[in-house]
């Protein structure tokens, strides 16, 4: 049972803010905040936003200082994290901070990718999915950092999304080749990012392809969510294919779900299987049963 505080990195209102969380319960978090005289309006669903001038006093009061990524991992592990889809605040800042960790100084490319992931026709395949994949990569590799090429592949893997399986991944890979070459990334790294993006078409990396397995596992991590988040995922996928009639969508979706259930392995790394495999199989089977398939 502990309360954690990340560095004041988040700019707003002429200062920078830290996030204050509990790894156990919101009751503990609220009690700590009340004792520290943090106003209730600073609470944002699963954390308190606190200005940088309060940082030292909160540490002195017992908050444990950690890096931002460590704080996110602890919040996810606690089960208290509000899904990105349900947050009130923009995802631009957390995504920008993650982008700067791998491609600092390439703001124009970040903004182009952000615009792509924010397209109005996207529901599931939007910024929330991107952030979820990046967070899943963190979970799968902690305490180490995920390889840079894998992270960049996550940024590009659905950068082109028109709802055309196979073609979207190919166009996303070509976009990565073009834009990362222009950004000065070494040719070998560009080729690796594009290769990884193409793997997300069928999520079947070859044996020994650890980086491919890492990206594919992170991309499919949504399958292993709790029932409510999984239901939101299914509903969002349906919205992504709103241009398809109900009968055709139901048939196509059932084929996709059966294909996922037949994948062996569904998740490639031991860590991913521990985190998501049982829940994923339960969710997929439940979806078929609910649809009468």
């Amino acid at each position: 049972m502990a309360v954690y505080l990340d560095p004041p990195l988040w700019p707003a209102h002429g200062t920078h803010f830290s996030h204050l969380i509990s790894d156990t319960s919101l009751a503990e978090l609220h009690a700590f905040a009340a004792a520290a005289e943090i106003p209730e309006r600073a609470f944002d669903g699963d954390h308190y936003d606190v200005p940088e001038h309060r940082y030292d006093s909160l540490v002195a009061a017992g908050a444990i200082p950690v890096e931002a990524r460590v704080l996110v991992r602890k919040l996810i592990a606690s089960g208290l994290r509000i899904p990105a889809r349900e947050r009130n605040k923009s995802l631009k800042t957390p995504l920008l901070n993650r982008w700067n960790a791998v491609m600092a100084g390439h703001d124009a490319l970040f903004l182009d990718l952000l615009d792509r992931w924010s397209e109005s026709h996207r529901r599931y395949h939007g910024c929330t999915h991107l952030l979820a994949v990046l967070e899943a990569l963190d979970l799968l590799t902690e305490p180490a950092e995920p390889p840079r090429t894998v992270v960049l592949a996550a940024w590009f893997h659905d950068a082109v999304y028109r709802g055309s399986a196979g073609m979207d991944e190919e166009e996303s890979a070509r976009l990565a080749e073009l834009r990362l070459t222009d950004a000065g990334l070494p040719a070998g790294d560009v080729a690796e990012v594009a290769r990884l993006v193409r793997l997300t078409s069928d999520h079947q990396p070859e044996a020994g392809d650890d980086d491919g397995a890492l990206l594919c596992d992170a991309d499919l991590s949504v399958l292993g969510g709790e029932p409510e988040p999984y239901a939101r995922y299914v509903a969002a996928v349906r919205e992504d294919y709103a241009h398809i009639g109900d009968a055709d969508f139901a048939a196509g979706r059932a084929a996709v779900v059966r294909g996922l259930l037949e994948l062996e392995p569904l998740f490639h790394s031991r860590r991913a299987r521990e985190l998501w495999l049982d829940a994923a199989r339960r969710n997929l089977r439940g979806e078929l049963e609910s649809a009468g398939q």
Side-chain angles (χ1 to χ4, degrees), residues 30-243:
H30 292 319
F32 183 94
E37 298 183 342
I38 299 173
E40 292 182 6
R41 65 178 180 275
F43 182 64
D44 187 26
D46 55 14
H47 69 275
Y48 281 85
D49 292 314
V50 292
E52 59 184 328
H53 75 266
R54 294 297 316 275
Y55 183 85
D56 290 339
S57 65
L58 291 173
V59 172
I64 300 172
V66 293
E67 294 180 1
R69 285 191 175 187
V70 174
L71 182 137
V72 170
R73 291 170 183 169
K74 289 185 177 296
L75 187 56
I76 293 171
S78 74
L80 299 174
R81 182 173 176 81
I82 298 293
R85 185 178 177 82
E86 297 181 5
R87 293 180 199 160
N88 293 324
K89 296 186 177 179
S90 168
L91 298 182
K92 180 177 180 179
T93 297
L95 286 172
L96 176 59
N97 280 279
R98 286 178 172 274
W99 176 257
N100 284 337
V102 291
M103 288 290 286
H106 294 277
D107 294 349
L109 179 52
F110 165 74
L111 292 173
D112 176 55
L113 288 170
L114 187 68
D115 284 346
R116 291 174 179 275
W117 283 95
S118 302
E119 291 166 335
S120 60
H121 67 276
R122 298 178 184 238
R123 294 300 181 267
Y124 170 65
H125 295 87
C127 289
T128 54
H129 171 59
L130 171 59
L131 182 60
V133 171
L134 294 170
E135 290 179 344
L137 290 176
D138 287 345
L139 283 177
L140 291 173
T141 58
E142 63 178 348
E145 301 294 333
R148 185 188 190 203
T149 51
V150 177
V151 175
L152 287 172
W155 276 92
F156 277 94
H157 82 285
D158 279 328
V160 176
Y161 181 75
R162 300 187 180 93
S164 178
M167 186 176 296
D168 287 343
E169 290 82 3
E170 178 59 30
E171 291 189 20
S172 294
R174 292 177 182 174
L175 179 71
E177 290 170 336
L178 176 64
R179 299 306 303 274
L180 292 176
T181 297
D182 289 346
L185 205 69
D189 288 350
V190 172
E192 174 65 358
V193 171
R195 182 189 74 82
L196 292 169
V197 170
R198 291 185 173 100
L199 278 179
T200 62
S201 176
D202 61 9
H203 300 96
Q204 297 188 59
E206 294 183 0
D209 182 4
D210 293 340
D211 286 355
L214 178 60
L215 179 63
C216 289
D217 285 351
D219 192 28
L220 294 182
S221 62
V222 66
L223 302 179
E226 293 298 317
E228 185 176 340
Y230 185 81
R232 288 196 297 268
Y233 149 70
V234 174
V237 170
R238 179 64 185 104
E239 291 183 58
D240 271 352
Y241 291 90
H243 56 286

Side-chain angles (χ1 to χ4, degrees), residues 245-263:
D246 288 343
D248 288 341
F249 176 80
R253 178 63 188 174
V256 169
V257 172
R258 290 193 188 98
L260 289 168
L261 283 168
E262 291 169 1
L263 278 182

